[in-house]
Amino acid sequence: MTLPVIAIDGTAASGKGTIAKALARHFHFDHLDTGALYRAVAALVLRDGGDPSSRHDALDACKLFRPGIVPDTELRSAAVGEAASQVAVLPEVRSALREMQVHFALVPPGGKGAVLDGRDIGTVIAPHAPVKIFVTAGVEERARRRWREVHAADPAKTYEAILGELRIRDARDSERAAAPMKAAADAALLDTTDLSIDAAVAAALKLARGKLEA
Ligand code: DC
């Protein structure tokens, strides 16, 4: 029996992670944050004093990688996010992480269904997913959200710096040759620029229900 899969792709700070978690909770599906896999590989490179754009260093890190090997606090840092975007350009890193994502989509641990969020879920990892949503928001709004998140812990970080980093990340993620970030042809687009978190989740839920209960 094929279990339902919900593929959520989109830009950094678009709200895709929050939406993915909420949908998983609603449908009692398992959730995989695939960005965390690339972040873990990147964190292992940085721990070792390596260069995230080096194929050699990134592949060494892939060999060390195990789920849970890097604590969440380390995964969430801005430096690790940036390095994740760099290791994610390398096709060898993408193929090293592919199998576990495809397996999770096919055989989710809870046995009911899976929600995966990332950049290439609807296009590469789960192209047959019955629900595909591409989440984005204007880059200025995403920078404001990120700034609000990090401001208390890092008051020196300016809105302008965050905006610049997001622009670089969007360009790198969408212009790379291997599995670039893009909406699948059959994905629904969800622009969260003017939506609260609750409204964005409600819109995604409506889209998913429409497909799963059709
Ligand atoms: O979603 P995130 O910010 O945690 O992802 C970090 C980086 O990992 C992102 O900039 C690009 C990469 N990534 C990817 O290439 N493919 C995915 N499916 C998920 C993340």
Side-chain angles (χ1 to χ4, degrees):
M1 187 184 67
T2 314
L3 295 172
V5 178
I6 301 179
I8 311 279
D9 290 301
T11 48
S14 60
K16 67 180 172 2
T18 306
I19 290 172
K21 279 191 212 107
L23 292 187
R25 217 176 304 120
H26 177 86
F27 291 108
H28 304 287
F29 290 177
D30 297 298
H31 170 230
L32 181 65
D33 167 6
T34 66
L37 306 176
Y38 292 91
R39 284 174 181 262
V41 170
L44 293 171
V45 172
L46 296 180
R47 270 188 193 176
D48 208 34
D51 169 4
S53 62
S54 147
R55 183 166 273 112
H56 175 267
D57 293 357
L59 283 178
D60 274 355
C62 284
K63 287 182 202 132
L64 285 177
F65 172 79
R66 301 277 173 285
I69 191 171
V70 181
D72 215 51
T73 43
E74 192 177 337
L75 289 185
R76 293 295 132 208
S77 82
V80 167
E82 169 62 17
S85 165
Q86 290 177 276
V87 300
V89 168
L90 301 164
E92 295 88 343
V93 169
R94 305 200 71 81
S95 44
L97 298 176
R98 189 170 190 273
E99 181 67 31
M100 79 181 71
Q101 298 174 71
V102 171
H103 187 260
F104 188 95
L106 284 174
V107 194
K112 286 194 164 162
V115 182
L116 289 86
D117 73 275
R119 302 290 187 291
D120 62 343
I121 308 303
T123 50
V124 174
I125 300 296
H128 304 299
V131 183
K132 295 182 187 177
I133 305 176
F134 191 87
V135 188
T136 192
V139 69
E140 285 91 358
E141 173 57 21
R142 290 187 284 126
R144 272 192 291 278
R145 291 175 189 170
R146 248 310 124 81
W147 181 83
R148 283 196 292 267
E149 268 169 34
V150 303
H151 182 62
D154 187 2
K157 187 102 181 186
T158 63
Y159 162 81
E160 285 75 18
I162 294 173
L163 181 63
E165 285 166 13
L166 282 178
R167 287 204 163 111
I168 291 171
R169 188 113 85 89
D170 285 355
R172 194 187 295 114
D173 291 348
S174 57
E175 288 165 15
R176 66 179 180 228
M181 168 176 72
K182 68 169 179 223
D186 53 349
L189 300 183
L190 178 57
D191 185 333
T192 67
T193 310
D194 298 318
L195 299 181
S196 65
I197 292 172
D198 286 351
V201 167
L205 200 50
K206 193 170 169 204
L207 287 167
R209 272 213 203 98
K211 295 281 185 187
L212 293 178
E213 291 163 12

